[in-house]
Amino acid sequence: EIRLSLVGSEMCIRDRLKNIINTYQDIIKSAEQKLGKAKQQIYRIGTLRLILFVAGIAGVIHFWDNGWIVITGVIALTFVPFLFLVKLHNRLFYQKEYLEKKIETNRQELQAIEYDSSSFDSGEEFINPAHLYSYDLDVFGERSLFQYINRTSTDLGKKRLAAWLNTHLENKTAVSYTHLRAHETKAN
């Protein structure tokens, strides 16, 4: 009966892990499709910008002798849309960078599921041989607890996580409070 319970739990864990892997793969696939579309839009808008710029210069040169009103009209018809497209082009570049980072992050998470956390910071600068337990338990360094759980994106976050792992909690209230905070952070 206990064996069946363990087998059932193991299957449940495998199913959950497969769902997590499928979710990461779906996110990657979706982001890659969006990235392809964004790259196409960037190319099209870049080409259109070039055409508008050349047309604006050619129009100004061609209508140079017709007076300022005509030149102002040419500029309004070519350079105003050109500036609008520059702004749109920049937005698409930000979207492209975001999607590339999203793909990279999800690929790193898939690697971490396979126990390859080499793309994450190891926290080697926090290794302290004199610490009560962090040196012996491989809390910091290559293939460490820090490297496996660290998903911080700022230096402050990394330092806070390191300080949390280096803090030796001695009373039950502090341990319970830390667990509560960790669950609150996970929920958010």
Side-chain angles (χ1 to χ4, degrees), residues 104-118:
E104 178 188 355
T105 300
N106 283 278
R107 284 186 178 150
Q108 288 173 343
E109 291 301 328
L110 283 173
Q111 288 174 333
I113 289 173
E114 298 295 327
Y115 303 105
D116 177 10
S117 56
S118 60

Side-chain angles (χ1 to χ4, degrees), residues 142-185:
E142 290 297 318
R143 298 183 169 269
S144 65
L145 175 64
F146 182 87
Q147 188 174 31
Y148 194 71
I149 67 172
N150 178 29
R151 299 301 184 269
T152 60
S153 58
T154 65
D155 198 43
L156 179 63
K158 181 171 80 168
K159 287 178 181 176
R160 182 169 287 172
L161 177 61
W164 186 55
L165 291 173
N166 269 325
T167 302
H168 181 69
L169 301 176
E170 295 180 359
N171 64 35
K172 184 178 179 182
T173 306
V175 172
S176 297
Y177 178 73
T178 302
H179 282 256
L180 179 65
R181 294 286 308 260
H183 286 288
E184 287 174 357
T185 303

Side-chain angles (χ1 to χ4, degrees), residues 89-102:
H89 202 247
N90 286 341
R91 282 189 195 154
L92 287 170
F93 262 107
Y94 288 129
Q95 181 183 11
K96 177 182 164 274
E97 289 174 5
Y98 168 77
L99 290 169
E100 288 171 342
K101 190 64 175 173
K102 187 175 187 177

Side-chain angles (χ1 to χ4, degrees), residues 58-94:
V60 168
I61 292 171
H62 181 72
F63 294 111
W64 186 257
D65 294 332
N66 291 355
W68 288 104
I69 294 175
V70 175
I71 292 175
T72 304
V74 169
I75 290 172
L77 290 174
T78 57
F79 289 116
V80 171
F82 173 81
L83 293 174
F84 171 76
L85 289 176
V86 167
K87 190 171 185 176
L88 183 59
H89 202 247
N90 286 341
R91 282 189 195 154
L92 287 170
F93 262 107
Y94 288 129

Side-chain angles (χ1 to χ4, degrees), residues 21-35 99 102-110:
I21 290 170
N22 288 337
T23 300
Y24 283 132
Q25 290 172 338
D26 290 344
I27 290 170
I28 290 169
K29 184 177 179 179
S30 172
E32 285 175 338
Q33 290 171 347
K34 290 177 184 176
L35 180 61
L99 290 169
K102 187 175 187 177
I103 291 167
E104 178 188 355
T105 300
N106 283 278
R107 284 186 178 150
Q108 288 173 343
E109 291 301 328
L110 283 173

Side-chain angles (χ1 to χ4, degrees), residues 11-24:
M11 290 176 64
C12 181
I13 291 171
R14 283 186 189 153
D15 290 341
R16 292 169 93 188
L17 188 58
K18 284 180 184 178
N19 286 340
I20 291 169
I21 290 170
N22 288 337
T23 300
Y24 283 132

